[in-house]
């Protein structure tokens, strides 16, 4: 079963505009959510995380929003730059009371393309 | 620190052969994770270690797969009697136990395995 889902395989955005990447989850036993960026032939690079007790975390151009009631999180990139073009993965870490403790469960990824 | 190192970067092997991959984590990180990623999917958890102890193994890890982390330093992942379905990118990540989710697990660049 896919506990973390990214339903949009791709997103295309104009440079300077906002990119919004979405992620849904089904397991209430996740305590942290993370976003990673991945270029071809490289490993994922950590971008930003959010604890399940918060609803927003911001770091420079990146902001993550968490809506626990909807089991939904989103990553906002403002302003978008051509160098942001990559595959973006959301991931969730299970808490100590669940079966996913310690490991990350990833979504399928969204390909972001930022056009100049 | 140069981050998480994986060796080799690429491996082509014939079906039925054994292969071994190595991962050198960030030196002060006590947790080490192995993931597998296939085309169009997010990384899937295989196993993880805390120091030298292997704490969890995924159902994906058949008895042809074995992982070790002697002395809690580097780790090896061995696949015996490789099959074409084993072709994937094998990713290693490391973290500190209580800070990993907040600051992100650090991934290596991966080993691309092709079984012909």
């Amino acid at each position: 079963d896919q506990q973390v889902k990214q339903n949009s395989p791709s997103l295309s955005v104009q440079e300077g505009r906002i990119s919004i990447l979405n992620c849904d989850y089904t397991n209430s036993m996740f305590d942290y959510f993370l976003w990673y960026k991945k270029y071809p032939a490289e490993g994922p690079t950590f971008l930003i995380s959010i604890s399940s007790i918060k609803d927003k975390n911001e770091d420079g151009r990146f902001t993550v929003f968490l809506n626990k009631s909807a089991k939904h999180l989103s990553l906002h990139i403002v302003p978008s730059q051509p160098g942001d073009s990559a595959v973006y993965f959301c991931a969730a870490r299970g808490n100590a009371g669940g079966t996913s403790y310690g490991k990350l469960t990833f979504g399928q990824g969204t390909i972001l393309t930022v056009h100049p | 620190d140069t981050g998480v190192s994986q060796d080799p970067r690429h491996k082509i092997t014939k079906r039925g052969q054994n292969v071994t991959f190595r991962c050198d984590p960030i030196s002060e990180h006590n947790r080490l994770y192995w993931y597998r990623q296939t085309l169009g999917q997010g990384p899937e958890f295989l196993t993880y270690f805390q120091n030298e102890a292997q704490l969890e193994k995924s159902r994906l890890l058949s008895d042809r797969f074995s992982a070790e982390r002697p002395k809690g330093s580097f780790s090896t992942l061995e696949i015996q009697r490789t099959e074409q379905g084993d072709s994937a990118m094998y990713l290693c990540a490391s973290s500190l136990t209580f800070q990993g989710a907040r600051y992100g697990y650090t991934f290596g660049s991966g080993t691309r395995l092709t079984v012909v």
Side-chain angles (χ1 to χ4, degrees), chain A residues 3 25-33 52 71 92-103 105:
Chain A
Q3 296 186 60
Y25 62 96
T26 58
N27 189 344
S28 299
M29 302 298 282
F30 292 133
D31 67 348
Y32 256 96
F33 300 89
S52 61
K71 292 189 173 65
R93 188 187 77 166
N95 64 23
T99 58
S100 303
Y101 180 60
K103 68 188 185 192
T105 301

Side-chain angles (χ1 to χ4, degrees), chain B residues 6 12-15 20 25 28 33-34 37 39-40 42 50 54 57 68 77 80-81 89 94 96 98 100 108:
Chain B
Q6 292 190 246
I12 299 174
T13 190
K14 292 184 178 179
R15 189 174 50 189
T20 300
E28 61 266 29
Y33 308 81
W34 285 100
Q37 185 178 17
L39 198 62
Q50 178 154 308
Q54 188 173 19
K57 292 171 61 174
E68 293 182 340
L77 178 68
Q80 296 182 329
R81 306 181 303 281
M89 173 76 84
S94 69
L96 288 168
F98 298 109

Side-chain angles (χ1 to χ4, degrees), chain B:
Chain B
D1 198 330
T2 56
V4 177
S5 299
Q6 292 190 246
D7 184 70
R9 289 294 305 274
H10 304 276
K11 179 71 176 178
I12 299 174
T13 190
K14 292 184 178 179
R15 189 174 50 189
Q17 298 293 305
N18 298 344
V19 294
T20 300
F21 310 139
R22 177 182 170 119
C23 172
D24 287 90
I26 292 174
S27 55
E28 61 266 29
H29 285 182
N30 59 342
R31 285 202 168 175
L32 186 148
Y33 308 81
W34 285 100
Y35 285 80
R36 179 173 68 185
Q37 185 178 17
T38 53
L39 198 62
Q41 299 297 316
E44 295 176 294
F45 170 79
L46 293 178
T47 187
Y48 86 95
F49 295 82
Q50 178 154 308
N51 301 314
E52 66 275 9
Q54 188 173 19
L55 296 188
E56 188 174 349
K57 292 171 61 174
S58 165
R59 289 170 294 175
L60 292 174
L61 217 62
S62 75
D63 55 6
R64 296 185 298 105
F65 288 72
S66 62
E68 293 182 340
R69 191 183 182 196
K71 301 179 183 178
S73 55
F74 70 92
S75 176
T76 58
L77 178 68
E78 181 183 17
I79 309 174
Q80 296 182 329
R81 306 181 303 281
T82 52
E83 302 173 357
Q84 286 189 320
D86 297 331
S87 296
M89 173 76 84
Y90 290 83
L91 294 163
C92 176
S94 69
S95 75
L96 288 168
T97 302
F98 298 109
Q99 298 179 7
R102 181 175 178 185
Y103 298 108
Y105 298 7
T106 304
F107 280 82
S109 297
T111 294
R112 168 72 65 188
L113 173 67
T114 303
V115 182
V116 297

Side-chain angles (χ1 to χ4, degrees), chain A residues 3-8 19-30 32-35 50-57 63-76 90-92 110:
Chain A
Q3 296 186 60
V4 179
K5 294 183 181 180
Q6 294 175 257
N7 292 315
S8 298
S19 295
I20 300 177
L21 298 139
N22 295 302
C23 181
D24 298 295
Y25 62 96
T26 58
N27 189 344
S28 299
M29 302 298 282
F30 292 133
Y32 256 96
F33 300 89
L34 300 83
W35 283 94
I50 187 168
S51 165
S52 61
I53 63 173
K54 299 198 172 178
D55 54 21
K56 178 182 174 180
N57 189 26
T63 302
V64 56
F65 296 92
L66 176 62
N67 182 334
K68 288 184 288 294
S69 61
K71 292 189 173 65
H72 177 85
L73 65 154
S74 60
L75 175 68
H76 292 210
C90 67
T110 297

